[in-house]
């Protein structure tokens, strides 16, 4: 899985713009947390880029805490870690945390959104 590092506050606007042409996934990760490592590993083990049109970003909540809080506020979700946010058309259409994070739940949300549009 080829993650784009999420390290600058300005990337929020990039992500919102990008989400008008493709889905964007933000993974809020802490390398200090074993649950975060498990969630990341489970996601990466199932990831199939050929079947998903999605831009993945990884945000380190330890080194970029302020950005993580800004992401939560911008997209109207409570900050958690680990956490994924699925962004489409500038809005968070799904967010999951801890062991609820799964490839199948992400692909289901994408399928549901594509059917609704």
């Amino acid at each position: 899985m080829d993650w784009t590092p999420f390290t600058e506050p300005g990337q929020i606007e990039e992500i919102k713009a990008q989400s008008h042409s493709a889905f964007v996934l933000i993974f809020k990760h802490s390398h200090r947390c074993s649950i975060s490592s498990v969630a990341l590993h489970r996601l990466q083990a199932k990831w199939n880029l050929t079947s998903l049109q999605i831009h993945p970003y990884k945000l380190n909540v330890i080194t970029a805490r302020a950005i993580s809080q800004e992401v939560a506020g911008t997209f109207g979700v409570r900050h958690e870690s680990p956490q994924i946010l699925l962004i489409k058309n500038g809005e968070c259409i799904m967010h999951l945390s801890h062991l609820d994070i799964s490839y199948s739940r992400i692909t289901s949300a994408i399928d549901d959104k594509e059917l609704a549009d």
Side-chain angles (χ1 to χ4, degrees):
M1 191 164 181
D2 191 21
W3 295 100
T4 299
F6 193 160
T7 57
E8 300 294 327
Q11 286 177 280
I12 292 173
E13 290 307 314
E14 287 176 30
I15 286 168
K16 288 169 76 174
Q18 212 174 30
S19 74
H20 288 278
S21 60
F23 290 91
V24 177
L25 180 76
I26 300 170
F27 185 90
K28 295 167 94 180
H29 174 63
S30 168
H31 63 276
R32 295 180 186 167
C33 173
S34 61
I35 294 172
S36 190
S37 295
V38 168
L40 179 62
H41 176 70
R42 285 177 26 182
L43 186 58
Q44 291 181 142
K46 298 272 185 168
W47 197 260
N48 182 350
L49 286 176
T50 59
S51 69
L52 282 182
Q53 295 300 316
I54 190 166
H55 298 284
Y57 286 80
K58 187 169 20 171
L59 182 114
N60 182 327
V61 298
I62 303 299
T63 60
R65 181 83 174 162
I67 297 170
S68 182
Q69 294 290 357
E70 189 174 343
V71 165
T74 297
F75 294 108
V77 300
R78 191 177 113 196
H79 165 76
E80 296 189 65
S81 174
Q83 182 178 41
I84 61 114
L85 288 79
L86 186 61
I87 312 300
K88 185 65 178 158
N89 297 325
E91 297 180 7
C92 180
I93 62 167
M94 181 189 71
H95 59 96
L96 300 169
S97 65
H98 297 84
L99 296 179
D100 286 336
I101 298 169
S102 75
Y103 179 81
S104 63
R105 291 183 83 178
I106 293 166
T107 56
S108 290
I110 289 170
D111 291 343
D112 291 347
K113 179 66 175 169
E114 287 177 341
L115 287 173
D117 286 344

